[in-house]
Amino acid sequence: MVKVAVTGAAGRMGLRILHFLNQAQDINIVGATEAPGHSAIGSDAGTVSGEGEIGVAITSDLSQASADADVIVDFTSPSATLKNAELAKSAGKSMVIGTTGFTDEERDRLNELAESFPCVFAPNMSIGVNVMFEITKKLASILGDEYDIEIVEAHHKLKADSPSGTALRLGEAAAEGLGWDFQNTARFERHGRIGERGDKEIGLQSVRGGDTVGEHTVMFFGDGERLELTHRATNRDNFAKGVVRAVRWIYDKSPGLYTMKDVLEL
Ligand code: NAP
């Protein structure tokens, strides 16, 4: 039995993660947290997620909530996730992290911390999107630099970070396929008289509105043709199911940072 603590338990993702973890026969939810002052503190995690009582009260204290846990699942915010990763390191817990929106410095710090505990860190836990990462890299390497690559993503209006972590990863995958450095070729938004598109650019554009769960399109523009690769998430269950797979995979691994590519053996 794998024992799991879920942070951000009453969030959009936290609720679906609780649902699918609760359904898994080989997983036991032993703790759940929310941000200090959150209205769900003190409530039963199963009741909040609509499963019925599971005997786990939501607290704001992760060291208490994860005392018996093998794995901490974290879909919160970059600052909360980094704090939780410090605890995972000192307490010797594994982690599955889905939080996005880290700065380069925060990501470096997470990489450093995760040298000391087993951690799956993925901006998108869906199987379809992780296959899309691989296909994007392959298409970029086949089509080469004659094709202009643009990435467009759409999300709900409450999303805090732009572009999405998934769009950034798609850009990195395209850059890898071309042998380019993504940091030096990424072009975020276009505005004003900025002149012609450069040859060595990967464009990223973000659209925000309504309750859009997450849509990503990678466009390869050639002369006289355009190839598009699109993924549309219609609800959050695909991410939460990926989390269950990541939990089962990570709990007995050696310390280090892993991705869904490792979990799915792509
Ligand atoms: P959300 O609805 O805002 O949920 C986040 C929850 O975490 C909120 O309830 C928040 O409480 C809580 N929280 C904040 N600080 C905390 C702390 N220190 N301890 C415990 N809980 C804390 O957001 P979401 O849509 O679920 O997304 C969460 C993150 O996952 C985002 O970064 C998002 O981009 C990412 N995401 C990743 C994937 C993937 O597949 N990897 C998929 C979807 C979303 P408050 O509301 O009080 O701040």
Side-chain angles (χ1 to χ4, degrees):
M1 191 70 86
V2 188
K3 289 176 275 178
V4 181
V6 179
T7 66
R12 284 179 288 269
M13 279 304 302
L15 292 173
R16 297 316 291 157
I17 290 167
L18 283 173
H19 171 74
F20 283 102
L21 290 177
N22 196 43
Q23 286 198 339
Q25 300 296 313
D26 55 339
I27 293 174
N28 198 6
I29 301 166
V30 296
T33 71
E34 253 306 336
H38 195 285
S39 59
I41 303 251
S43 304
D44 185 271
T47 310
V48 167
S49 62
E51 313 301 307
E53 208 169 309
I54 58 169
V56 174
I58 298 177
T59 163
S60 60
D61 180 354
L62 183 59
S63 58
Q64 179 201 327
S66 64
D68 292 331
D70 305 304
V71 184
I72 297 168
V73 173
D74 192 306
F75 281 63
T76 54
S77 68
S79 56
T81 299
L82 279 177
K83 217 169 135 212
N84 296 341
E86 302 268 1
L87 187 142
K89 179 183 169 182
S90 58
K93 308 290 178 187
S94 301
M95 278 189 94
V96 172
I97 298 175
T99 306
T100 63
F102 293 90
T103 63
D104 290 345
E105 292 73 30
E106 287 171 332
R107 214 162 127 159
D108 289 347
R109 179 66 189 139
L110 189 58
N111 285 342
E112 204 180 297
L113 286 169
E115 283 170 16
S116 311
F117 63 91
C119 180
V120 174
F121 176 42
N124 196 309
M125 301 269 170
S126 102
I127 294 167
V129 160
N130 282 280
V131 170
M132 189 177 177
F133 292 149
E134 296 307 302
I135 295 174
T136 297
K137 180 177 169 183
K138 182 92 181 159
L139 279 177
S141 80
I142 294 171
L143 296 172
D145 56 16
E146 300 267 299
Y147 284 70
D148 298 327
I149 301 176
E150 296 283 318
I151 297 166
V152 180
E153 57 98 348
H155 280 86
H156 55 89
K157 61 186 176 190
L158 301 175
K159 185 166 177 61
D161 53 314
S162 293
S164 67
T166 304
L168 291 169
R169 181 66 202 108
L170 285 166
E172 285 170 2
E176 279 164 30
L178 288 163
W180 290 0
D181 173 15
F182 178 64
Q183 294 301 331
N184 291 328
T185 48
R187 179 76 188 237
F188 301 104
E189 302 171 4
R190 295 187 179 86
H191 182 233
R193 287 185 60 81
I194 57 168
E196 292 178 8
R197 184 189 196 281
D199 286 336
K200 204 166 178 181
E201 282 186 10
I202 295 173
L204 294 101
Q205 313 293 328
S206 299
V207 175
R208 294 284 174 269
D211 59 355
T212 312
V213 176
E215 300 184 2
H216 294 86
T217 297
V218 183
M219 302 173 194
F220 296 86
F221 293 85
D223 283 340
E225 65 173 354
R226 177 161 101 219
L227 175 60
E228 292 186 359
L229 202 55
T230 294
H231 179 273
R232 291 192 182 92
T234 48
N235 62 39
R236 291 178 174 79
D237 292 3
N238 67 104
F239 308 129
K241 285 180 184 172
V243 170
V244 175
R245 288 178 73 153
V247 164
R248 287 194 179 114
W249 186 88
I250 194 69
Y251 86 98
D252 60 352
K253 293 292 177 292
S254 308
L257 202 60
Y258 303 90
T259 67
M260 284 304 280
K261 185 175 172 180
D262 301 306
V263 174
L264 301 172
E265 295 176 2
L266 292 173

